[in-house]
Amino acid sequence: MNIAMLLDMAVAGDPDRVAIGRRDSGTTCAELRDTAAGVAAVVRRSGARELVFAGVNGPAFPMMLFGAALAGVPLVPVNYRLSAEALTGLLQHTEKPLVVADEAFAGVFGEAGLDVRTPEALLAQGRAAEPVDGPEGSPDDPAVLLFTSGTTAAPKAAVLRHRHLTSYVLQTVDFASAAPDDAVLAAVPPYHVAGIGSVLSNLYAGRRMVHLGSFEPGAWLDLVRSEGITSAMVVPTMLARVVEHLGGGPADVPTLRALAYGGARMPHTVLEAALRAFPDTGFTNAYGLTETSSTIALLGPDDHRAALSSDDPAVRARLRSAGRMVPGVEGQIRDAAGGVQPPGAPGELWVRGPQVSGEYKGAAALLDGEGWFHTRDLAHFDAEGYLFIEGRADDTIIRGGENIAPAEVEDVLLRHTAVREAAVVGIPDEEWGERIAAFVVTHEGAAVDAETLRAWVRTHLRGSKTPDAVVFRDELPYTPTGKLLRRRLVTTAPDD
Ligand code: AMP
């Protein structure tokens, strides 16, 4: 199945339903289909093999996603915040691209000698063109190429084929299940897999999409209120900024029934503050990877409520979990020797299912003989199948032969009232192999010294997990999608 079929189903279900934008003036499902078919004609006429998009999230993004699908070429959304050098570097991995870029980011591509047009120009050409009929190609063709965040390695393009993305939607979303007033606020950038998943699943569910191009907490809250937004998805750094903006007060968003978070580990302190600020909103933790076509495990609103109100420590602990695997996806924990681990035992997570691609452009799929994909996340399942993610295996600090998951130390630091953000990394050391460095951002006006924080960790964890150095910073480096850039911290750590 081609992802354009999801659009065709939405049109067949209700052509006049507003799919994108304001209720009174937005784009209907039928208009979205027509524009996408025109965009497809422009793409085909150009002879391009890929449609590259460098721009913020907005109505043009779904039109290009389906336009590319109808033209039979993949959409390649790229991170417009990258440096000119990095962006032109990414383009070397593309084939005969048609480049579409917001005015603000177009210069880079022009300087690299590429033909570049704005989304507005592409859509205008599309509306004037003779629309194409059906989608071209097979379900096995790439629908989207996504450069992975590259927090630990050079970026590579994950290949998501039509069959992966449609499997994800068909397995996890009920067709036309949204209520007539439902509206989702799309604030995750197009180059993140959650941005792609959001377009497909909300269109299929029949939920109007409202876009916020550049995230800012005040603007996000205003839009939720003014547009009567009923659901939204945020990465942890966005939720942290919303909570901070509210300063302990209530969010006052009566329409917001559902708030999903994911894309990186959610600090527990932020989640607790958010649960207090949004008392009437149902929270969902969504865990997934680019290579798995977005969400593969979910902790839903009922799980959040059950965990919050339970006296059973095992149930309470689930507030820190990523929930259970979604239908159609299996998960397995394996130890270093490949042995499958029982519930409770830690190891690395392997996953399998029709939405799991595990493939990068120019390389064979990284699935084992039985179709399992190695996520490289440290994890365990509890006895009832709840998945706990402890972080990337590559981030493990090995100090004097002992494996230390940074998340464990970060969680303890974050429980100190003076600490707002914390990042723990391993620094190469001749004696220990690696030493532990903690980078800390304190709350405004809070005063704490390094020795106090070291003592705080020592009283909560084993002595060997105490940071050897605590470094105070005004801010920590994150990707726009909320991932901590640990490599950057390692290179700026103090020597002693
Ligand atoms: P990416 O492919 O760039 O989206 O990164 C995927 C990685 O982000 C996963 O392997 C996890 O390490 C992390 N991640 C994504 N969602 C969650 C979540 N809900 N909780 C914890 N970590 C997450």
Side-chain angles (χ1 to χ4, degrees):
M1 189 172 174
N2 186 296
I3 57 168
M5 301 280 289
L6 303 173
L7 174 56
D8 286 344
M9 289 174 74
V11 175
D14 185 353
D16 300 326
R17 182 182 72 74
V18 173
I20 306 169
R22 296 181 62 98
R23 202 188 309 278
D24 51 358
S25 58
T27 304
T28 64
C29 291
E31 288 165 346
L32 171 57
R33 176 70 168 77
D34 289 346
T35 309
V39 166
V42 177
V43 174
R44 276 196 203 162
R45 205 168 51 211
S46 75
R49 307 269 300 269
E50 294 178 6
L51 180 59
V52 171
F53 175 46
V56 300
N57 207 343
F61 169 50
M63 295 173 190
M64 279 188 265
L65 178 62
F66 292 114
L70 287 166
V73 306
L75 182 73
V76 190
V78 294
N79 181 351
Y80 43 85
R81 292 184 212 232
L82 291 176
S83 66
E85 194 188 348
L87 269 176
T88 42
L90 286 190
L91 285 184
Q92 286 166 8
H93 297 270
T94 60
E95 267 171 80
K96 273 190 94 181
L98 172 64
V99 182
V100 177
D102 286 354
E103 193 82 54
F105 316 114
V108 173
F109 301 102
E111 280 162 30
L114 286 155
D115 172 24
V116 49
R117 58 194 90 183
T118 61
E120 296 75 23
L122 176 74
L123 298 186
Q125 288 163 342
R127 289 188 180 111
E130 182 67 27
V132 303
D133 279 341
E136 220 162 64
S138 94
D140 213 30
D141 288 340
V144 175
L145 302 178
L146 277 183
F147 287 96
T148 57
S149 327
T151 53
T152 54
K156 16 179 212 216
V159 180
L160 300 179
R161 299 179 184 275
H162 288 278
R163 62 183 163 85
H164 297 127
L165 293 169
T166 50
S167 298
Y168 161 64
V169 174
L170 299 180
Q171 291 275 10
T172 56
V173 186
D174 290 327
F175 180 65
S177 53
D181 283 349
D182 277 6
V184 60
L185 180 50
V188 175
Y191 57 82
H192 192 276
V193 68
I196 307 278
S198 162
V199 171
L200 300 178
S201 49
N202 287 303
L203 183 76
Y204 190 72
R207 198 173 291 113
R208 181 168 65 97
M209 281 173 248
V210 177
H211 290 96
L212 177 64
S214 301
F215 178 81
E216 194 280 314
W220 186 88
L221 285 161
D222 286 346
L223 209 49
V224 171
R225 294 178 194 128
S226 65
E227 282 292 322
I229 295 294
T230 54
S231 62
M233 150 89 202
V234 287
V235 299
T237 42
M238 291 178 182
L239 194 57
R241 289 183 60 197
V242 169
V243 164
E244 194 175 37
H245 178 88
L246 292 169
D252 187 23
V253 283
T255 56
L256 191 69
R257 288 197 295 275
L259 185 58
Y261 60 89
R265 247 173 75 86
M266 172 65 80
H268 200 63
T269 41
V270 174
L271 179 59
E272 280 175 357
L275 288 164
R276 278 195 300 275
F278 294 82
D280 303 319
T281 301
F283 281 72
T284 296
N285 183 3
Y287 161 76
L289 292 81
T290 306
E291 296 89 333
T292 61
S293 315
S294 181
T295 308
I296 51 172
L298 280 178
L299 185 80
D302 291 344
D303 290 322
H304 279 80
R305 272 188 285 273
L308 268 177
S309 60
S310 176
D311 297 331
D312 178 346
V315 177
R316 269 202 87 80
R318 288 186 191 143
L319 207 50
R320 290 164 190 263
S321 86
R324 290 197 259 208
M325 305 304 288
V326 300
V329 181
E330 301 167 86
Q332 213 175 55
I333 305 295
R334 297 190 192 169
D335 65 13
V340 178
Q341 299 292 90
E348 293 184 28
L349 176 67
W350 292 66
V351 296
R352 177 167 76 173
Q355 71 178 74
V356 178
S357 124
E359 182 190 345
Y360 303 101
K361 195 175 169 200
L366 295 176
L367 307 180
D368 74 5
E370 291 170 345
W372 291 92
F373 171 67
H374 187 189
T375 65
R376 300 192 172 279
D377 278 324
L378 293 172
H380 71 269
F381 283 106
D382 75 6
E384 286 186 45
Y386 284 81
L387 174 67
F388 290 75
I389 301 291
E390 317 294 350
R392 307 287 301 159
D394 305 334
D395 295 335
T396 302
I397 302 168
I398 306 177
R399 183 185 190 277
E402 184 184 358
N403 284 7
I404 296 160
E408 191 184 4
V409 186
E410 288 164 6
D411 281 349
V412 170
L413 286 167
L414 287 168
R415 294 215 301 267
H416 192 283
T417 49
V419 177
R420 193 180 78 184
E421 291 168 50
V424 170
V425 297
I427 310 294
D429 181 74
E430 282 192 11
E431 186 184 355
W432 293 97
E434 279 184 310
R435 285 179 309 126
I436 307 174
F439 290 80
V440 168
V441 180
T442 54
H443 284 291
E444 224 174 276
V448 68
D449 58 28
E451 211 31 64
T452 309
L453 288 181
R454 294 182 69 234
W456 171 260
V457 176
R458 203 177 304 115
T459 56
H460 289 83
L461 294 173
R462 259 203 309 283
S464 57
K465 296 185 178 177
T466 305
D468 298 285
V470 176
V471 185
F472 293 95
R473 286 280 161 87
D474 292 336
E475 56 183 21
L476 297 180
Y478 294 97
T479 67
T481 52
K483 289 206 170 50
L484 201 52
L485 286 163
R486 291 174 193 276
R487 266 181 316 163
R488 201 177 292 170
L489 286 171
V490 174
T491 55
T492 61
D495 293 333
D496 52 32

